């Protein structure tokens, strides 16, 4: 479905209101995040943040982080704690990486805790400062001194290190501690955030600090690059984040997938990875939002799982592979099945039974396997068994790569599926699936033509018992079904072709074909694959499937019409015959769907985008700079408003 273009003035007003709403929400959620109990998930907060950034990229809120409470003395950071750029998907990360080409990418865990800066003077801890507003935070030194991993005095092999500057890390609570003492808190981060800021310091001994950054304010830095930075911190006894050195962008993506799978086994929470270059870029880190590094976050709509088997769903002639994998949570739902579409998908993914795969659900209802994760030490792998014979008729299946199907037109499974499709498309509502199946199983229905040969006598046994039949009682149910069938002997060309259950060919597809010049049954039946593939909205694969399906059904398609069983409703002609329309924006006098149906009833065609050959673009904002208006101007397509459209058809 296309998005409506909206009036510029109205859009600006709506955007302004939404920006104010977002500012208020973000400030509120930042305050709750930094001062105890987060009200929303990270994913929900990121969604609001990204929406504000898209509406108002220069908004001041985006340049700030939250502020701590006023319960502690304040102090300025050695290293500003700004917010990082974020990527929530491989596509977003690749977009960033295309602008930041490094010989290698240093990858660290993005800890899901509370930021803390440990400040030292000549090797002694003098204060611990929370994130605050990014520049000034709360001094919680007594609490920090109780935390595991905090070094009160810096030493290397027993020798004091005269370091003056800041060491940055994250206060975390392990899963074990959370489960044992603080299971009433929503998560480890919330619990840690609350404990670290208690005035009495109680509970801080249950917290840990993991560090990842350092900057000396006196003399030279004690390292030459980002890897040496972590090694130096580790040598001083600090807990540090793991480091992975990736040689390529794809290597980063693959590593992220492997971490997504194993993070459930970590002692603490992480919500992504931090990607940076080897060179220490202090100038960049001083920015409110550093550009040379990025947080590659884990999405609630992505998960890694293991494929356990592949089932083959049979629908009509087609066999569709469906992967069954270990259950994962995607965006609040538990998922363990995803369609693989066709044999080519299995081949292109390199998928086997036992493969580790990334499952995505980005705004879609149906999950999808995006890729196979390369494992350093993969478990047992087995090829996917592909059916070779039809489970109904025993015919050898045809594998075209893009489709695995039974070629036997007389296969009973295919015939029944076609009958049900015809009844649905022709909208014979009183003829239900149960009755169609019973008639088919009893040999009363073997083709679409047989539907129109049914009599009330044929149908009565399905509504009356034997005693009633012997008494020649009339069945109201049989009469109703018979009347419904007879009332559906006239169909549009698009419904007629779609009713024959050709793979992937519905009414909308046929309408596109008609708009491309194939407006009669004869023209469609005689079209070549090359001619159909040239029609807008078609391609070689769809053209091949359509021509093949038409050839299989040609005899019955022609017989039903020539024998007068079915009448193909001709266009009423008139003003719109042969003309095509695309609607954009809001209409005043009717809904867009009603306007489209009006065009069809007058013999015209509806297109969903501005393409070469379009007769008219209809919009109530003919002077706007929308993409559709610009495209129409480029192609020389007339742009008319709603009144002009209504005048045209009146």
């Amino acid at each position: 479905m296309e998005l409506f273009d909206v009036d510029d003035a109205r859009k600006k007003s709506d955007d302004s209101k939404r920006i104010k709403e977002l500012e208020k929400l973000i400030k509120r959620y930042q305050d709750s995040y930094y001062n105890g109990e987060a009200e929303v998930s990270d994913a929900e907060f990121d969604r609001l943040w990204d929406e504000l950034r898209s509406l108002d990229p220069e908004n001041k809120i985006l340049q700030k982080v939250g502020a701590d409470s006023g319960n502690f003395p304040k102090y300025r950071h050695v290293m500003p704690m700004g917010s990082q750029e974020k990527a929530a998907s491989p596509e977003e990360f690749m977009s960033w990486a295309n602008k930041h080409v490094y010989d290698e990418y240093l990858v660290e865990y993005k800890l899901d805790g509370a930021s803390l800066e440990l400040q030292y003077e000549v090797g002694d801890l003098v204060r611990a400062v929370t994130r605050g507003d990014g520049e000034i935070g709360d001094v919680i030194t007594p609490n920090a001194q109780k935390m595991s991993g905090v070094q009160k005095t810096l030493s290397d092999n027993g020798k004091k290190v005269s370091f003056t500057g800041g060491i940055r890390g994250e206060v975390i609570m392990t899963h074990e501690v959370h489960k044992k003492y603080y299971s009433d808190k929503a998560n480890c981060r919330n619990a840690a955030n609350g404990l670290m800021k208690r005035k009495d310091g109680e509970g801080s001994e249950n917290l840990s600090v993991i560090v990842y950054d350092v900057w000396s304010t006196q003399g030279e830095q004690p390292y030459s690059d980002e890897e040496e930075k972590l090694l130096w911190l580790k040598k001083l006894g600090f807990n540090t984040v793991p480091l992975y050195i990736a040689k390529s962008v794809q290597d980063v993506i693959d590593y992220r997938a492997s971490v997504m799978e194993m993070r459930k086994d970590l002692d603490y929470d992480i919500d992504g990875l931090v990607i940076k270059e080897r060179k220490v870029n202090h100038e960049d880190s001083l920015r409110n939002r550093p550009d040379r590094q990025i947080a590659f976050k884990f999405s609630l709509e992505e998960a890694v799982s293991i494929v356990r088997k592949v089932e083959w769903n049979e629908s009509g002639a087609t066999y569709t592979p469906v992967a069954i994998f270990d259950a994962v949570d995607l965006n609040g739902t538990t998922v363990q099945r995803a369609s693989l579409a066709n044999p080519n998908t299995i081949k292109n993914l390199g998928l086997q039974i036992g493969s580790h795969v990334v499952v995505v659900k980005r705004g879609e209802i149906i999950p999808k396997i995006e890729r196979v994760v390369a494992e350093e030490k993969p478990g047992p792998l087995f090829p996917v068994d592909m059916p070779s014979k039809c489970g109904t008729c025993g015919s050898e299946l045809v594998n075209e790569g893009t489709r695995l199907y039974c070629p036997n037109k007389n296969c009973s499974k295919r015939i029944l599926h076609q009958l049900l499709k015809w009844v649905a498309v022709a909208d014979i509502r009183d003829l239900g699936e149960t009755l169609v199946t019973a008639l088919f199983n009893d040999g009363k229905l073997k083709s679409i033509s047989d539907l129109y040969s049914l009599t009330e006598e044929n149908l009565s046994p399905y509504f009356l018992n034997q005693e009633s039949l012997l008494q020649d009682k009339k069945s109201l149910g049989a009469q109703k079904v018979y009347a419904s069938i007879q009332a559906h002997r006239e169909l549009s060309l698009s419904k007629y072709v779609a009713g024959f259950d050709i793979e992937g060919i519905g009414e909308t597809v046929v309408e596109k074909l008609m708009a491309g010049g194939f407006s009669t049954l004869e023209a469609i039946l005689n079209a070549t694959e090359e001619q159909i593939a040239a029609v807008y909205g078609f391609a070689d694969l769809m053209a091949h499937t359509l021509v093949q399906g038409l050839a299989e059904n040609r005899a019955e398609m022609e017989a039903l019409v020539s024998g007068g069983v079915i009448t193909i409703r001709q266009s009423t002609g008139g003003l719109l015959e042969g003309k095509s329309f695309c609607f954009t924006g809001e209409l005043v006098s009717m809904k867009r769907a009603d306007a489209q149906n009006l065009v069809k009833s007058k013999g015209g065609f509806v297109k969903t985008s501005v393409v070469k050959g379009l007769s008219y673009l209809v919009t109530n904002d003919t002077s706007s700079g929308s993409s559709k208006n610009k495209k129409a101007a480029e192609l020389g397509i007339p742009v008319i408003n709603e009144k002009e459209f209504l005048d045209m058809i009146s």
Side-chain angles (χ1 to χ4, degrees), residues 574-592:
L575 298 173
L576 303 188
E577 185 157 15
K579 295 182 173 65
S580 57
F581 295 77
C582 175
F583 294 86
T584 184
E586 294 180 286
L587 299 179
V588 176
S589 63
M590 65 183 77
K591 293 180 179 179
R592 184 185 295 196

Side-chain angles (χ1 to χ4, degrees), residues 114-129:
S115 295
L116 185 71
E117 183 177 82
L118 303 173
Q119 298 183 356
Y120 291 84
E121 291 182 5
V122 197
D124 294 320
L125 177 67
V126 292
R127 67 188 64 85
V129 187

Side-chain angles (χ1 to χ4, degrees), residues 317-318 398-400 402-409 414 500-503 505 524-525 527-529 532 540-555 557:
T318 305
V398 175
N399 185 354
E400 294 183 342
T402 55
R403 185 181 174 216
L404 180 68
Y405 66 96
C406 171
N408 179 14
K409 187 181 183 306
R414 287 190 58 183
F500 277 86
D501 195 27
I502 300 171
E503 178 78 15
I505 308 300
I524 290 175
L525 289 173
T528 64
E529 287 188 26
I532 292 175
D540 292 342
L541 175 59
M542 187 180 288
H544 171 73
T545 304
L546 177 57
V547 170
Q548 185 182 61
L550 290 170
E552 281 187 347
N553 292 283
R554 180 168 189 148
M557 293 176 95

Side-chain angles (χ1 to χ4, degrees), residues 252-268:
V252 174
I253 293 171
D254 290 340
Y255 177 66
R256 172 176 175 264
S258 66
V259 174
M260 281 168 57
E261 183 178 14
M262 54 76 70
R263 66 172 166 151
K264 62 181 180 294
D265 299 321
L266 291 176
D267 293 333
Y268 50 86

